[in-house]
Amino acid sequence: IGVFSVLMALRNRGEAAPVPIKTFDIQDGGRLHRVETAEIQAVSSAGNYVEFRLTGGRRLLMRLTMSAAEEQLRRAGLVRVHRSWLVNRAHV
């Protein structure tokens, strides 16, 4: 954990602290779902889509690249643990 903390500190050095986000809009087909970011447990890659795994077992699919999802959800506490997975630190 110590090495990870140092690397994150070096990565974020000189940047203002990001403002955390509370909700995220997921466009699943023709429906728009506004979900609390605390409900997002993980995000996985599914071809040209990403699958959001939410609390309660719900899954939503959205056309989005994994890197775009990572960029947008970083402020919500999601971190990339694999090239095809983001996980919410609060659910680990």
Side-chain angles (χ1 to χ4, degrees):
I1 291 178
V3 174
F4 180 76
S5 299
V6 170
L7 291 174
M8 290 303 292
L10 289 173
R11 180 177 175 205
N12 294 329
R13 185 177 44 187
E15 297 176 11
V19 177
I21 58 174
K22 301 278 187 205
T23 61
F24 186 75
D25 293 335
I26 301 172
Q27 181 74 39
D28 183 20
R31 296 200 55 188
L32 181 66
H33 302 268
R34 177 163 286 166
V35 298
E36 303 250 344
T37 54
E39 287 185 59
I40 302 171
Q41 293 179 329
V43 180
S44 63
S45 176
N48 292 330
Y49 294 82
V50 292
E51 181 180 47
F52 292 85
R53 296 169 186 231
L54 308 175
T55 56
R58 284 191 340 170
R59 293 182 179 196
L60 300 174
L61 202 60
M62 180 177 179
R63 186 172 178 94
L64 185 69
T65 65
M66 199 61 175
S67 58
E70 177 185 18
E71 181 68 31
Q72 293 175 25
L73 292 168
R74 181 177 296 137
R75 295 182 301 149
L78 276 83
V79 293
R80 196 162 197 165
V81 295
H82 184 269
R83 68 183 209 136
S84 59
W85 280 91
L86 298 173
V87 295
N88 192 332
R89 292 182 201 183
H91 290 279
V92 175

